[in-house]
Amino acid sequence: MRLDKYIVHNTNLTRSLAKKAISSGQVLVNLKQIKNTAFKLKVTDQVFYLGKQIATLHHRYLMLNKPSGYICSTQDEIHPSVLNLIDIEQRDRLHIVGRLDVDTTGLVLITDDGQWSHRITSPKKNCQKTYQVDLAEKIRSDTIEQFNKGLLLKNELKPTRPAQLVIQSKQQVLLSIQEGRYHQVKRMFAAVGNHVEALHRVSIGAITLDVQLGDGEWRYLTEDEIATMS
Ligand code: URA
């Protein structure tokens, strides 16, 4: 967003007063004086007017490549939270969108926008998550149909919703599901007599894990990525 527009949105100033405030040097972006009214702000920029930080209407959206050994909640006495991997201002305002098991790796979305994350986690929204799964046993060809039809998980009465399986090799598949039941992927393979050796989430909706991100690395989402869930 343009700096002058941002100030109009977040203060009582009119457009012309906002422009004056900027060109007269009363506005700082990340502690640097910016006199260009058309300056393009990034979502992470912090804007100060007359020495006070302007409360932002912007939200923050990140993707993280979760390593094994980290948890997707804020507290655990044994394992660190994935939030420890993100060293930014006001980290405590962020929350993790959905959960991965401690030994699952891959795409995790993090934000401070509750409505946005609700659109991803709400069961009514049918948001598709895709996992790469390494299996202990060779995949049986009838598993594709079983997953597509839906199957009963141990101790549950309602079958799983149709899930898509793409076989990559004898013991590696891509599985896309729309639900988020407890340990769902591991329990689906247990239900057909197999066992998950390694689980890695590659996408959530239209957002795919950036292959440039190493284990534990993160980046801000692009405007386009954010918009796919808006
Ligand atoms: N399904 C699982 O079993 N574990 C995860 O971490 C995610 C989906």
Side-chain angles (χ1 to χ4, degrees), residues 99-101 104 131 183-186 199:
R99 300 264 161 104
L100 288 180
D101 298 337
T104 301
Y131 297 85
H183 294 326
Q184 177 155 349
V185 177
K186 291 174 185 165
L199 190 55

